[in-house]
Every structure is written in structure tokens, then in C-alpha cells.
Amino acid sequence: MPKRIDPDTETVTFTFEGQIIRARPGDTVASALAASGIRHLRDSAVSGEPRGIFCMMGACFDCLVEVNGQPNRQACMTPVSQDLAVSRQRGGVEVKI
Amino acid sequence: MNNNSITSDVLVVGGGLVGAAIAWGLLDRGLTVTVLDEGDIALRASRGNFGLVWVQSKGDKMHEYARWTRRSADLWPDFAEHLAEETGISPNYEKPGGLHFILSEEEDRRVRAQHQRMHDVNGERGYGAEMLDRQQLDKLVPGLGPEVISGSYCKHDGHANPLLLLHALHKGLGLRGGRYIPDGRVETLERDGDGFRATTSHGSYLGGRIVLAAGHGNKVLGPMLGLDVPIHPEKGEILVTERVAPLLPMPTHVLRQTNEGTIMIGDSHENTGYSTDSVIPVMSGIAQYAIRCFPALRNLRVVRSWGAVRILSTDGFPVYQQSTDFSGAYTINCHSGVTLAAAHAGPLARMIAEGEFEPEITAFSPRRFDHA
Ligand SMILES: Cc1cc2nc3c(=O)[nH]c(=O)nc-3n(C[C@H](O)[C@H](O)[C@H](O)COP(=O)(O)OP(=O)(O)OC[C@H]3O[C@@H](n4cnc5c(N)ncnc54)[C@H](O)[C@@H]3O)c2cc1C
Ligand code: FES
């Protein structure tokens, strides 16, 4: 599990699947989840297999999560803020027609 | 002879979809093949296209092309299966039929007249597209916008993942013992004995025969072997949305859902030289038209976009040519290298191996422009 170089600097909290996650200001959702040991961020839309961070720079779209009800957000490109509600992206989004 | 020279039965210049399909097919006929290609950064339509295997509308006013396209579409199921078995890489080909949405009375008239022309020459079964009214469309694809008045449906249409297709062909090339030379941009071509010499910055390659499949590069390379290649660039831009659950049951001429769930939206026709830029007015035009066809797209995020340059001949039909001055030299150019990949790997590779085009294929000679 990744460890922070400077521990005890977490002053922000948000939730992931209802669980409270502590984060540093400036963290992204992905970095805060990684620091909390959470690696399974979504299920593949094709195979249903678990997926998580890969590039950490917005290129691969492997880190998709749902943020405040919005699906398919890149966790590594989403800065944390107090009380964000984040959950796993489960497969492809159903689009209403 | 240069020490670096490597000799093969056939040199293929260009490792895009056209060169790779032909080389893969030639290797199946016991010939030794070397493919000379540029590096990662190159003008390469095969990396930027829409992935349709498309029959409808192809070959209006040149029925040999309509038949050739249909022949390729008929070969595609076996071709895809064969590639996947041999290489372990499936091009994800599906053939649920394809739709062209019609949004105006004028377009309805145009497409109906086109169907009539195609049916007159090839018979209804030869072409295979039919007009559907709005009610019939609603059964096939729920969720169409109010402006869609009718559509043209062709059961021979389908789609594939063009990047996996290219990847599979390249892997197959290697497995069949072909030699692939990246960073092998050919600078000069000349006769060498009975064969040909292609010279790159790092050495030269000899081949008994030579196939120029260098996309836009053919325009420069062709004249070195007496081949005039009347092609020009035309840009197309494509947008890709986030992945969503299955939404579109079949590909259409402006949008298709990939089997990974993304929706590809295209495509424009721009006269901007060899530029591959994506530009906002064009992208928003593409998106607006797609939303008129299928309003649910309005809520989706676009995650990628790019431009790529089509290889178009003066009349839009293929240019296949055997040099008369240099026997054994060919140039192959086309606007639909995904669609025609199965025909290129199969019958066209056979014709090149045997040294003779079928009579129907000679229609693709650029000599047709001499009379224009
Ligand atoms: C936006 C867009 C959408 C399209 N949609 C479809 C579609 O839906 N269905 C379909 O069937 N087709 C489609 N096409 C067309 C299809 O992409 C092309 O027909 C096909 O990729 C052409 O392949 P090619 O091998 O001839 O050319 P390219 O892919 O351009 O390959 C040419 C190769 O030759 C190499 N080369 C060039 N010069 C030299 C040299 N001097 N020495 C060595 N190598 C050289 C290049 O590096 C390159 O690898 C589309 C094209 C575009 C641009
Ligand atoms: S980890 Fe690659 S986009 Fe987020």
C-alpha cells in the first residue's frame, strides 16, 4: 500500500462507497483513494473486471468513478473537496433515450 | 550491390491497412515479403478512420467498385475469423447491417434515386440496400430525433475496430515470416536487374516485384516507376464519447458504438491539405448533426477527438495500377481500406501473386481519367 511522505496532513474528508476517506488539500480523488489503499475504482464496461488507476495523468480513462451522481469522471483529474460523494463506476452508463 | 540489401520476392512500400493486408495475403501464397514503413509519426489514414465496413452508397457510377466492395463485405466474416484464429487478435467485426439517416425530403429523393441506379445495374440482391420509413426505423433503432424522416438500410454493412485490424495484420505478417521494417521511409525507387531497389536512409532493399501501398506517399513514389497516382487529401474529424451501455444496435454513417461502449461520431469532409488538426467549428458541427439524429447523445461527454486525411482519387474510386513501363510494379490506393481489407488480403493479393488483374479490376486503372 502506498504511504504518504508527510503523514497526518489530511484535513479534507469525502466518501467513497459511503466510507469516509481522509485527503490532503490538493489531492485528487485518485491520489487520496490510493493513499487509503483503495485500488478498485470501477468495473470494466466490457468484461466486468475490476479496474483502477493506471496513468494518473488523464490519458487512460482507467480510473473512472461516479462523482456526486455524475458518471464516468476521471478520479485522477478530479480534485478532492469536502464532502464529495464518490462511488465505483459500475460498467457502462445507461443512457435514457 | 549495397551490403545492406535484403532480397525478397515482393517489396511492399507502406504498412497501413492496404500494404499490411496485401502483404499478409501474399505471404499466404508462399512468397517472401518485406514491408517498408515509416515510423510512429506519419500521415497514416489507417490509424484515424471510422471503422465501417460499408457497402451502401459505394460505387454509384462505377459498378465494378460496387461489386468489389460487396465482394469484400462478403469475405469479411471469414477474414476476421481467420485473422483472430491466427493472431489471437480479433478485429471485432460485426455485421448487423448499417443505416444512413435521412433528414430532408431532398436527401430522401437523392438516396432513392441512388438505390434505383444501383439496382438497375446490379440487381436488388447485388446491392442490397433498401429504404425504410420512420416507423420501420423506430423498430430497428429506438431514440431517433424528430427530424429523421427515413433511412437507408443495408444488411451487408458492418463495422470493425480498425486499430485492432491493423495490429492483427501486422502480427500476422510476422507470424507468416514476413519482414517488417519500421523507420524505413523509401526515398528512391529504381529498376535493379529484373527487380526493384528501394532505398531508405539506412540501406536498400531488393524485390522481384514491388507494391506501392504508401497512401499519400504513392503520389511521390509512383512517378519513379512510371505510375501516375491521381490522389488528393481530404480531412475527416472524429469525436469519441465516454463509454456507455449498449445504445446503438448497428453502425450508421455518422455514428457507431464500439464494442467497448464508446460512441464514435464523424465525419467531416475538409479540403485542408495534409493537416490533421481538430478544429472546434467542425467538431461542433459534427456533434450537432449527430444530436439531431440521436438526441440522447446530448448528455454524453466527448473524451477524444482527432483528424485524419483520406486518400481520395479524382472520382473517389480506387486506383489500382500495374506499371506498363516497369513490369512487376503496382500501386494500390483506395478510400475505404477497412471495407476493402478482406478483398485486398484475398483476391487482390492472389492477383498480384499471379501477376494478372481480373478484367473487372482493370476498371480501377487511372487510365479511366485519360478520357475524362
Ligand atoms: C476520417 C476518416 C474516416 C475513414 N473511415 C473509413 C471507414 O469507415 N471505412 C473504411 O473502409 N475506410 C475509412 N477510411 C479510409 C481508410 O482509413 C483508408 O482507406 C486506409 O487507411 C488507407 O490505408 P493505406 O494503407 O492506403 O494508407 P495509410 O494508412 O496512410 O498508410 C500508408 C503507409 O505508408 C507509409 N508510407 C508513406 N510514404 C512512405 C515511404 N516513402 N516509404 C515507406 N512507407 C511510406 C506510411 O507511413 C503509412 O504507414 C477513413 C479515412 C479517414 C481519414
Ligand atoms: S489513471 Fe489514467 S486517466 Fe486517470
Side-chain angles (χ1 to χ4, degrees):
Chain A
M1 176 171 148
K3 261 213 209 109
R4 290 197 189 274
I5 298 168
D6 43 358
D8 302 323
T9 47
E10 291 134 329
T11 57
V12 183
T13 60
F14 67 99
T15 61
F16 180 72
E17 297 280 312
Q19 178 190 340
I20 291 173
I21 308 292
R22 286 156 33 88
R24 271 175 39 162
D27 267 344
T28 62
V29 167
S31 63
L33 291 173
S36 309
I38 294 171
R39 300 176 56 192
H40 173 189
L41 303 192
R42 70 176 177 108
D43 298 325
S44 159
V46 179
S47 63
E49 295 284 307
R51 292 285 187 272
I53 56 173
F54 183 60
C55 72
M56 284 296 265
M57 58 179 209
C60 72
F61 289 73
D62 248 340
C63 62
L64 300 177
V65 290
E66 202 176 292
V67 178
N68 286 346
Q70 275 222 38
N72 282 340
R73 311 271 33 187
Q74 289 162 288
C76 73
M77 300 305 280
T78 308
V80 293
S81 56
Q82 186 63 36
D83 299 329
L84 272 189
V86 181
S87 55
R88 274 196 185 104
Q89 181 64 49
R90 305 266 181 204
V93 181
E94 295 286 344
V95 179
K96 282 194 203 72
I97 54 175
Chain B
M1 192 165 105
N2 186 317
N3 286 339
N4 286 336
S5 294
I6 295 178
T7 303
S8 332
D9 294 330
V10 188
L11 289 178
V12 175
V13 184
L17 283 172
V18 171
I22 292 172
W24 186 71
L26 290 172
L27 284 159
D28 201 27
R29 317 195 75 81
L31 296 164
T32 57
V33 179
T34 299
V35 178
L36 298 163
D37 202 5
E38 293 177 290
D40 282 344
I41 310 292
L43 198 61
R44 192 172 278 133
S46 302
R47 287 221 190 132
N49 68 72
F50 200 58
L52 296 176
V53 176
W54 209 246
V55 174
Q56 64 173 299
S57 81
K58 297 279 180 65
D60 188 10
K61 303 196 174 83
M62 196 210 243
H63 295 284
E64 293 88 351
Y65 179 43
R67 285 192 284 271
W68 183 234
T69 300
R70 178 60 203 286
R71 187 164 163 192
S72 196
D74 288 351
L75 289 167
W76 247 99
D78 282 348
F79 168 65
E81 207 179 298
H82 193 159
L83 256 186
E85 254 169 43
E86 180 175 314
T87 65
I89 301 162
S90 164
N92 288 338
Y93 173 62
E94 281 172 35
K95 196 179 195 172
L99 269 178
H100 177 111
F101 299 131
I102 294 172
L103 277 64
S104 71
E105 293 295 344
E106 190 194 335
E107 195 174 10
D108 187 276
R109 275 193 297 275
R110 184 187 65 75
V111 176
R112 273 176 208 280
Q114 183 181 62
H115 282 200
Q116 200 55 52
R117 282 195 300 276
M118 307 286 275
H119 289 176
D120 283 350
V121 173
N122 291 318
E124 212 155 313
R125 285 180 53 224
Y127 178 48
E130 54 187 302
M131 291 298 287
L132 301 182
D133 63 25
R134 177 62 202 242
Q135 270 182 323
Q136 291 169 305
L137 279 180
D138 284 335
K139 278 190 209 125
L140 276 185
V141 185
L144 294 179
E147 290 178 77
V148 178
I149 57 173
S150 59
S152 162
Y153 170 79
C154 178
K155 64 173 183 243
H156 305 295
D157 292 338
H159 56 158
N161 179 324
L163 299 180
L164 290 177
L165 171 63
L166 187 62
H167 184 31
L169 286 169
H170 275 250
K171 184 156 180 212
L173 261 175
L175 291 171
R176 290 182 171 185
R179 186 192 298 271
Y180 176 74
I181 312 289
D183 294 315
R185 184 190 163 81
V186 173
E187 312 283 351
T188 57
L189 291 170
E190 61 205 316
R191 258 288 186 218
D192 188 303
D194 288 341
F196 298 92
R197 174 186 294 274
T199 305
T200 70
S201 61
H202 62 259
S204 67
Y205 297 81
L206 296 174
R209 275 176 272 172
I210 191 160
V211 179
L212 304 184
H216 286 294
N218 281 350
K219 207 168 170 66
V220 181
L221 296 171
M224 299 182 196
L225 297 178
L227 295 159
D228 174 34
V229 187
I231 52 172
H232 64 271
E234 185 198 79
K235 186 168 74 175
E237 295 183 42
I238 291 174
L239 313 179
V240 181
T241 71
E242 62 189 308
R243 292 178 176 193
V244 294
L247 189 60
L248 286 167
M250 65 183 66
T252 78
H253 70 305
V254 283
L255 24 126
R256 73 178 190 95
Q257 187 168 24
T258 67
N259 80 331
E260 290 93 12
T262 56
I263 293 176
M264 293 180 71
I265 309 175
D267 53 357
S268 55
H269 300 268
E270 297 161 71
N271 178 11
T272 48
Y274 297 105
S275 155
T276 57
D277 292 347
S278 313
V279 294
I280 288 180
V282 175
M283 290 196 282
S284 67
I286 290 172
Q288 276 162 19
Y289 190 79
I291 288 169
R292 285 168 69 196
C293 294
F294 202 74
L297 295 177
R298 182 177 284 123
N299 302 321
L300 299 188
R301 268 183 296 267
V302 168
V303 296
R304 277 185 287 287
S305 69
W306 64 81
V309 185
R310 293 186 192 84
I311 299 147
L312 273 188
S313 66
T314 313
D315 57 11
F317 304 131
V319 172
Y320 297 174
Q321 194 187 3
Q322 209 167 353
S323 173
T324 39
D325 305 344
F326 296 85
S327 145
Y330 298 82
T331 174
I332 305 297
N333 309 271
C334 72
H335 159 44
S336 292
V338 183
T339 305
L340 294 179
H344 288 162
L348 185 66
R350 176 179 50 71
M351 292 178 230
I352 291 172
E354 291 170 356
E356 191 163 338
F357 283 159
E358 288 169 12
E360 177 118 334
I361 300 307
T362 56
F364 305 146
S365 157
R367 258 168 297 170
R368 68 181 183 268
F369 300 115
D370 298 346
H371 315 290

